[in-house]
Amino acid sequence: MVHLHYIFLFSSSFSPSSGMHTSISEILKEKSLKPSRRSLPCLAQSQTHPINLNHFLSTSFLLSWDPVSALDCLCAAEDVKDTYVEETEVSTNETRADPTFLLQKPISREKNRSDSSGLFFRDGKKRIDYILVYKKSSPQVEKRCTFEKNLRAEGLMLEKEPSMTNNDIMFVKIHAPWDTLCKYAEQMNIRMPFRKKCYFTDWKRKTLGRCQQIKGWLPKNPMKLDKEALPDLEETDCYTAPFSRARMHHFTINNRETFFSNSTRSRIVHHVLQRTKYEDGKSKMGINRLLGNNTYEAAFPPHEGGYKSRHPIKTHGAQNHRHLLYERWARWGIWYKYQPLDLIRRYFGEKIGLYFAWLGWYTGMLIPAALVGVFVFLYGLFTMDSSQVSKEICEANSTIMCPMCEETCEPWTLSDSCVYAKVTRLFDNGGTVFFAIFMAIWATVFLEFWKRRRAELTYDWDLIDWEEEEEELRPQFEAKYSRLERVNPISGKPEPFQPFSDKLSRLLVSVSGIFFMISLVLTAVFAVVVFRLIAMEKFASFNWNFVKKNWQFATSGTGVCINFMIIMSLNVVYEKVAYLLTNLEHPRTESEWENSFALKMFLFQFVNLNSSTFYIAFFLGRFAGRPGKYNKLFNRWRLEECHPSGCLIDLCLQMGVIMFFKQIWNNFMELGYPLLQNWWSRRKMKKGGGGGGQNVENKSQLPQWDKDWNLQPMNAHGLVDEYLEMVLQFGFTTIFVAAFPLAPLLALLNNIIEIRLDAYKFVTQWRRPMPARATDIGIWHGILEGIGVLAVITNAFVIAITSDYIPRFVYAFKYGPCVDKGYMNSSLSVFDMWDLKNSSKDRYCRYRDYRAPPWSSAPYEFTLQFWHVLAARLAFIIVFEHLVFGIKSFIAYLIPDMPKDLCDRMRREKYLMQEMMYEAELEHLQKERKKNGKRYHHEWP
């Protein structure tokens, strides 16, 4: 549908401008702009919710229920009012449904209504829009009865059903009739399809007809979903406008039952649930508070039926949107297909739709980054044997290196580390600098183009003019500050508030807790460092020659594995601490709580995940000292040194192991944990659930509300965990990418799996979440921009300090390849082992540093080459950062946040809207006057 700004500002004194007298026929002659992609069909509401009867449950399976306590009799009296006479909900407009929009063949109304399947009331006519669950044994009966009585007063219809698996569980089915939907749709400014057809249709058929023929000759894009697979989401060009009961004749109401989509109906009911009182008092309202005090066990919109069918979808069609999502989105066989974002948005809401849109965009942008990273890796692989540094190390059979420890270790030959040097070449080569610059620019391009993509989605999904409603206060906030009130500047009503002194003191305690947890992370890193020092001595003097020869790999590998286990263990602690500190702050609203919790979780897990990586990148081998004067920890363990070919391979190993195993663990927990929980629920259900329920062998016999109750609720933190996992991965992909060019490839492979895992989880393992609205990804966009800035700085330091790129560069241009018999000879200093009264047969050994030999006038002092290398490193950091930041800023300036054609379309549609509203209102008034026998003129009344 085409987005518009719907303005109902008409009065008898209105005098239209000359532009307002332009006729529609003249507008049609103008050259129209490109139509917009819309997700809500404007001409097929009557068939947007088809039902497959194969899985329906006969009403004979529904149990009648009896009150089990005296208190329940209070509600039983109210339930007498649940016997309703079906309202006539026949549209005054003629049904004009296009059969191409149908998910499957139409089902007869009589057959449809005779079978409820858990989607309708007992009469088979009233659709269930929301489910409340409570325990009969709950003592909060009075609150529940008052709440349900007030819900009926708001216009909602309620019906109760007992659980078939647990006699203590009772379900409250909620239906919103047409008048209630219209009333709250107007209050919530919900945009609905406008009655007038779009003016682009004729032009589009004429101008795009030949283009469609040409496209038919071209090979089909295998990543696109077939239009036949999503017939309900064909392009429909209609205007949308905020719903108004006074202007109802303007809207395309083909069928009152399906005019409001299921997600819209659920959102309206949730709006009512949030604002209905259960006790006398200013703050005694809302389903969230009733869930908090265990009056109700759960509240959720029902799924639209089963996600599987015995019949193929190609021949029999989809039985509902959940089935369609499973077949065209959640199945592993279509991992290479684009996501049906419009259908995701329609079923789960805009907030979840934006998450999957962002995840898909991020995954698509990883493709060029992964390709470039693979090319850089292949360049290192093909030049591994021909590298001058690798050749020098492998041929250095006579170069004796100083012992790795002072007691049990012996001198070793440089050529023994030939394999280590070749592996280092894979990641420390000439392409590293180029790849670091590329990834810094890539991060900027990714974020800037995401802004444009987000603008297009918010336009297509009618979110341009949407503003978030004033959020209700959290129950914990109201309970804490109920005695202190002030007038809300927006609503003008008195509400509890938090004094600044109290807020500041709580914030200071929270910040202190954050620093304490960060210090705990640093303590864990220090423990890993001590382990590496101990392991280095043990492996260097190991009896097994294979381990002794590859002590660097053994030390790094065991250190990384232990560090990974510590990281995963501390993550569990951090989540509980972040939850505690956030509740200690007493945020005012749920969005404030979510942002505060998300920021703490990111800080904790980012520091936990990257602290050891920062140590290896910038501290490992920098303070080791020299032979005869080594720096020791606690005067016991010698600090770790870098390999003669550099420390970059240690950083690469650290990143590769943590990234690989963390992704495997996260994916297992995301899918494995809900699967195990649901399996256990089904097992208890078959045995009667422990609550005296029936022994149900066949799950298909259960109504939909019982099936949904046995699914897992969506994560209590919403999408925080989903975003957090991807943002941390984004940091790993960009911050130290110079040391591990395969990081984008691992991220790409993980995200391809992640999309289908999340899709499968949302469609099959979780209850349907409340379809929430949102215009962006919230606080996460600012975090991503901060990571992009940090990535430029860290990559500059990694190339300059961690890798050997700068020392090789200085040697090549300052000292020449013929001086001192090669680069390795110039980067290794000489030490006299006889100064330590060492009985070794070799007097001199080599070590990695730029120091004068023992026979010089200033033995073991830094040479001029050391200062040249240091100056070059500092200069590279400054030049690299300024260059990359300049390029990033220039690219951000060149790419506007909103496409120009989108701006033009919005401006033109605003103009066309004014014209259309004028003629539509004029036509309506003329009909009214003609009906009443009054004279009328072709002008504004």
Side-chain angles (χ1 to χ4, degrees):
M1 301 172 198
V2 182
H3 177 81
L4 55 92
H5 186 63
Y6 191 56
I7 308 173
F8 294 117
L9 297 176
F10 294 93
S11 64
S12 59
S13 61
F14 177 74
S15 177
S17 61
S18 59
M20 294 296 291
H21 290 288
T22 306
S23 65
I24 297 300
S25 59
E26 293 176 354
I27 297 176
L28 288 172
K29 295 178 182 179
E30 297 179 5
K31 183 179 179 181
S32 302
L33 297 178
K34 181 181 178 182
S36 65
R37 173 74 167 88
R38 278 303 190 250
S39 61
L40 287 177
C42 59
L43 296 178
Q45 287 94 357
S46 61
Q47 298 295 340
T48 54
H49 302 288
I51 308 298
N52 191 325
L53 298 180
N54 292 332
H55 296 286
F56 274 17
L57 177 67
S58 175
T59 54
S60 61
F61 285 103
L62 298 178
L63 302 177
S64 60
W65 67 280
D66 297 319
V68 296
S69 66
L71 288 175
D72 282 342
C73 292
L74 297 173
C75 293
E78 295 294 338
D79 290 337
V80 176
K81 301 178 182 179
D82 289 339
T83 304
Y84 304 105
V85 178
E86 182 186 4
E87 300 177 359
T88 303
E89 297 182 354
V90 181
S91 173
T92 58
N93 297 327
E94 182 181 356
T95 302
R96 296 165 294 175
D98 189 338
T100 59
F101 289 107
L102 304 185
L103 288 174
Q104 63 175 29
K105 296 181 180 180
I107 300 173
S108 65
R109 185 181 183 87
E110 291 76 12
K111 186 178 180 181
N112 188 0
R113 297 314 191 189
S114 65
D115 214 350
S116 65
S117 175
L119 299 178
F120 294 91
F121 276 23
R122 293 191 192 100
D123 60 8
K125 299 175 181 179
K126 299 179 184 66
R127 176 174 292 276
I128 299 175
D129 299 317
Y130 225 86
I131 297 291
L132 302 181
V133 186
Y134 69 88
K135 289 184 177 180
K136 297 177 185 178
S137 57
S138 172
Q140 307 287 352
V141 178
E142 185 176 355
K143 293 180 181 178
R144 186 177 68 248
C145 292
T146 304
F147 183 70
E148 292 173 3
K149 179 180 179 181
N150 291 334
L151 288 179
R152 295 186 185 95
E154 292 292 334
L156 298 180
M157 296 182 178
L158 278 60
E159 186 177 78
K160 294 187 177 181
E161 290 285 351
S163 172
M164 296 182 64
T165 59
N166 192 328
N167 286 340
D168 193 35
I169 295 297
M170 184 67 72
F171 298 99
V172 181
K173 301 176 289 186
I174 301 178
H175 167 75
W178 171 256
D179 291 338
T180 305
L181 291 172
C182 293
K183 171 183 153 183
Y184 283 100
E186 184 175 14
Q187 291 183 12
M188 298 168 65
N189 289 324
I190 295 178
R191 305 186 72 89
M192 299 304 296
F194 197 61
R195 183 170 57 90
K196 288 288 186 179
K197 285 281 290 185
C198 178
Y199 299 113
F200 300 126
T201 305
D202 295 335
W203 168 82
K204 184 177 180 181
R205 289 177 180 175
K206 294 178 181 179
T207 56
L208 299 182
R210 295 181 179 178
C211 296
Q212 295 295 334
Q213 293 179 356
I214 296 175
K215 286 184 178 180
W217 301 336
L218 298 176
K220 188 177 180 180
N221 186 353
M223 298 180 68
K224 286 187 177 181
L225 287 167
D226 298 334
K227 288 189 176 181
E228 293 78 9
L230 299 173
D232 196 36
L233 297 176
E234 291 277 354
E235 281 193 348
T236 54
D237 301 319
C238 294
Y239 289 98
T240 60
F243 184 79
S244 171
R245 288 178 289 178
R247 309 290 178 180
M248 195 178 297
H249 53 275
H250 291 315
F251 294 92
T252 307
I253 306 177
N254 298 311
N255 189 327
R256 290 187 177 188
E257 292 185 358
T258 55
F259 177 66
F260 295 102
S261 65
N262 277 358
S263 59
T264 303
R265 297 173 68 100
S266 298
R267 189 153 54 91
I268 291 174
V269 174
H270 181 78
H271 177 87
V272 179
L273 293 175
Q274 292 284 63
R275 287 157 178 80
T276 301
K277 288 190 174 184
Y278 58 86
E279 279 184 3
D280 293 334
K282 297 179 181 179
S283 61
K284 304 297 184 179
M285 67 170 63
I287 187 63
N288 289 343
R289 294 173 179 83
L290 294 176
L291 292 172
N293 60 27
N294 295 324
T295 301
Y296 289 100
E297 298 297 316
F300 53 87
H303 278 294
E304 293 183 8
Y307 63 88
K308 287 186 178 181
S309 175
R310 291 175 295 179
H311 306 289
I313 190 174
K314 291 184 178 179
T315 57
H316 290 73
Q319 59 183 5
N320 53 62
H321 286 150
R322 188 188 185 195
H323 181 212
L324 188 61
L325 278 171
Y326 177 78
E327 292 290 339
R328 303 304 181 192
W329 182 44
R331 284 195 307 108
W332 295 103
I334 55 172
W335 61 269
Y336 59 93
K337 295 283 188 180
Y338 292 139
Q339 299 182 89
L341 295 178
D342 290 335
L343 186 59
I344 298 170
R345 169 251 181 166
R346 178 185 297 185
Y347 195 82
F348 292 110
E350 286 79 2
K351 189 172 184 179
I352 294 177
L354 274 176
Y355 163 71
F356 282 104
W358 176 83
L359 180 57
W361 184 260
Y362 171 46
T363 304
M365 289 292 292
L366 280 172
I367 295 176
L371 291 176
V372 176
V374 170
F375 288 148
V376 172
F377 176 79
L378 292 177
Y379 171 76
L381 181 65
F382 293 144
T383 60
M384 182 171 58
D385 294 328
S386 60
S387 169
Q388 184 63 31
V389 176
S390 300
K391 284 183 178 180
E392 292 180 11
I393 292 178
C394 294
E395 296 173 358
N397 298 320
S398 59
T399 303
I400 305 300
M401 302 298 295
C402 296
M404 296 305 303
C405 56
E406 299 177 353
E407 297 179 0
T408 59
C409 299
E410 299 178 355
W412 54 285
T413 306
L414 180 59
S415 59
D416 293 342
S417 61
C418 177
V419 176
Y420 200 88
K422 289 183 177 181
V423 174
T424 302
R425 176 66 182 178
L426 291 175
F427 306 99
D428 189 4
N429 53 66
T432 302
V433 179
F434 163 75
F435 190 56
I437 297 175
F438 172 83
M439 287 303 297
I441 298 174
W442 173 87
T444 301
V445 172
F446 160 65
L447 292 175
E448 293 301 321
F449 275 98
W450 163 247
K451 294 178 184 178
R452 294 167 62 88
R453 176 60 174 158
R454 185 198 67 84
E456 293 176 353
L457 288 174
T458 53
Y459 171 77
D460 289 341
W461 294 351
D462 293 323
L463 297 172
I464 293 292
D465 297 323
W466 179 78
E467 294 182 2
E468 292 188 17
E469 302 174 8
E470 179 67 17
E471 288 189 85
E472 66 173 7
L473 302 180
R474 299 182 70 241
Q476 297 86 342
F477 181 87
E478 287 186 330
K480 181 68 177 178
Y481 303 103
S482 58
R483 296 183 179 180
L484 301 173
E485 290 188 347
R486 70 175 180 182
V487 177
N488 188 310
I490 298 176
S491 63
K493 299 178 181 179
E495 67 177 19
F497 84 103
Q498 185 179 17
F500 176 77
S501 58
D502 182 78
K503 186 175 183 178
L504 181 62
S505 60
R506 291 179 179 277
L507 188 61
L508 290 176
V509 173
S510 179
V511 171
S512 301
I514 293 174
F515 278 107
F516 173 77
M517 295 306 299
I518 291 177
S519 64
L520 182 63
V521 175
L522 299 180
T523 303
V525 173
F526 180 77
V528 174
V529 171
V530 172
F531 169 80
R532 290 174 64 103
L533 298 181
I534 299 174
M536 180 184 66
E537 285 192 3
K538 299 299 181 181
F539 288 136
S541 58
F542 209 71
N543 294 330
W544 190 8
N545 188 54
F546 176 78
V547 176
K548 184 177 181 180
K549 189 176 182 179
N550 298 280
W551 61 268
Q552 297 102 330
F553 281 116
T555 302
S556 299
T558 54
V560 169
C561 292
I562 291 178
N563 186 41
F564 174 75
M565 290 187 289
I566 293 176
I567 288 173
M568 301 310 296
S569 301
L570 289 179
N571 279 346
V572 179
V573 179
Y574 294 153
E575 183 174 354
K576 298 183 180 300
V577 172
Y579 190 84
L580 177 66
L581 293 178
T582 306
N583 287 333
L584 180 65
E585 295 175 7
H586 285 298
R588 179 175 172 272
T589 62
E590 287 295 335
S591 62
E592 292 180 7
W593 188 96
E594 184 175 322
N595 288 338
S596 178
F597 179 76
L599 184 60
K600 290 181 181 62
M601 285 295 294
F602 171 75
L603 289 176
F604 289 159
Q605 294 209 19
F606 181 81
V607 174
N608 185 33
L609 197 63
N610 293 283
S611 55
S612 57
T613 310
F614 270 90
Y615 162 75
I616 294 175
F618 305 126
F619 297 99
L620 179 63
R622 311 297 167 203
F623 310 100
R626 61 172 180 84
K629 197 178 181 181
Y630 281 115
N631 297 322
K632 296 184 178 181
L633 185 64
F634 303 133
N635 292 323
R636 170 66 179 85
W637 296 291
R638 206 175 89 186
L639 295 182
E640 212 173 344
E641 293 182 76
C642 289
H643 186 265
S645 59
C647 287
L648 197 67
I649 188 61
D650 295 270
L651 179 59
C652 174
L653 186 63
Q654 173 83 9
M655 291 185 59
V657 171
I658 290 181
M659 190 173 185
F660 179 76
F661 284 107
K662 188 175 187 300
Q663 289 179 349
I664 291 179
W665 175 259
N666 288 340
N667 290 334
F668 171 76
M669 290 301 297
E670 279 196 26
L671 185 60
Y673 185 66
L675 282 174
L676 289 175
Q677 285 184 314
N678 290 332
W679 171 81
W680 183 252
S681 298
R682 290 192 299 269
R683 185 174 180 271
K684 291 195 301 182
M685 182 177 62
K686 290 180 179 180
K687 293 183 176 181
Q694 296 183 13
N695 191 337
V696 182
E697 294 294 338
N698 190 358
K699 186 181 177 183
S700 62
Q701 296 177 357
L702 291 176
Q704 190 60 47
W705 55 77
D706 242 326
K707 296 177 184 177
D708 290 352
W709 167 244
N710 288 298
L711 295 177
Q712 296 303 309
M714 186 178 175
N715 195 307
H717 308 141
L719 294 172
V720 170
D721 291 341
E722 312 295 334
Y723 276 115
L724 179 63
E725 179 185 352
M726 291 295 102
V727 169
L728 291 174
Q729 183 203 84
F730 178 81
F732 243 71
T733 306
T734 55
I735 292 180
F736 292 104
V737 74
F740 190 50
L742 294 180
L745 178 63
L746 290 181
L748 174 63
L749 297 177
N750 174 81
N751 288 4
I752 292 174
I753 300 174
E754 179 76 18
I755 290 176
R756 304 305 161 181
L757 275 180
D758 285 347
Y760 185 82
K761 180 173 60 179
F762 272 91
V763 174
T764 68
Q765 301 302 309
W766 280 359
R767 297 173 195 159
R768 187 177 183 179
M770 201 285 292
R773 307 200 85 187
T775 57
D776 53 34
I777 61 176
I779 194 175
W780 300 107
H781 189 273
I783 293 176
L784 290 171
E785 289 184 335
I787 290 176
V789 173
L790 181 62
V792 177
I793 300 173
T794 53
N795 281 301
F797 276 87
V798 166
I799 296 172
I801 297 178
T802 310
S803 76
D804 264 14
Y805 177 79
I806 298 301
R808 292 198 303 265
F809 183 84
V810 172
Y811 171 79
F813 288 91
K814 175 65 178 176
Y815 298 96
C818 299
V819 180
D820 296 331
K821 299 180 181 180
Y823 166 75
M824 290 306 304
N825 188 62
S826 68
S827 62
L828 296 177
S829 300
V830 180
F831 176 72
D832 189 355
M833 290 188 290
W834 289 5
D835 291 345
L836 300 176
K837 299 180 181 180
N838 194 315
S839 58
S840 174
K841 61 179 181 180
D842 298 309
R843 178 175 181 178
Y844 297 106
C845 66
R846 311 296 296 272
Y847 62 98
R848 179 185 168 87
D849 210 340
Y850 295 101
R851 294 181 181 270
W855 54 80
S856 65
S857 57
Y860 307 122
E861 294 293 329
F862 288 116
T863 62
L864 184 62
Q865 187 176 357
F866 169 82
W867 300 109
H868 286 165
V869 171
L870 180 62
R873 283 174 166 165
L874 296 177
F876 176 83
I877 292 173
I878 296 173
V879 172
F880 182 89
E881 289 183 355
H882 283 72
L883 175 65
V884 175
F885 279 132
I887 296 175
K888 284 169 65 70
S889 301
F890 182 67
I891 291 176
Y893 172 78
L894 288 180
I895 303 175
D897 293 347
M898 184 177 292
K900 185 179 183 303
D901 64 328
L902 181 58
C903 296
D904 293 340
R905 266 184 282 166
M906 292 173 60
R907 294 173 61 187
R908 180 173 177 80
E909 288 164 12
K910 186 176 181 180
Y911 167 75
L912 291 179
M913 175 55 197
Q914 294 173 346
E915 295 288 332
M916 185 172 59
M917 284 303 304
Y918 166 74
E919 294 201 2
E921 191 68 17
L922 180 60
E923 180 184 356
H924 176 68
L925 292 177
Q926 288 173 350
K927 289 181 180 180
E928 290 292 326
R929 289 186 175 184
K930 186 176 181 179
K931 181 179 179 181
N932 297 330
K934 296 182 181 180
R935 296 178 60 188
Y936 62 94
H937 304 280
H938 292 281
E939 60 183 16
W940 188 259

